Amino acid sequence: MFACICKRVRECEIRSLIQDGARTKRSVAQACGAGTSCGLCVRRIGDLIDEEAETETLGQAA
């Protein structure tokens, strides 16, 4: 599914960037351009960052 339609960036691509160290909306935008056009996806990018952080925290607790 596309997270950023303007730049044609999929959610899985953003998740991969986050897992590789992009921990802010700005760093995701710099890496792939998502969130730099109309801005409608910025909230979703933030949600993905939060989800990946939660997943990482759960993985460390196990």
Side-chain angles (χ1 to χ4, degrees):
M1 169 183 280
F2 284 105
C4 178
I5 296 169
C6 296
K7 299 294 182 172
R8 298 181 53 95
V9 180
R10 296 181 185 276
E11 285 189 10
C12 61
E13 294 172 89
I14 293 174
R15 286 184 189 278
S16 180
L17 290 170
I18 296 165
Q19 292 166 1
D20 289 342
R23 301 284 193 235
T24 65
K25 295 172 193 173
R26 180 174 286 180
S27 60
V28 170
Q30 290 173 337
C32 66
T36 61
S37 288
C38 76
L40 289 176
C41 62
V42 173
R43 181 175 288 170
R44 182 62 185 142
I45 293 168
D47 291 345
L48 291 169
I49 291 169
D50 292 345
E51 289 172 17
E52 288 300 316
E54 187 176 312
T55 300
E56 184 177 306
T57 301
L58 291 174
Q60 291 175 354

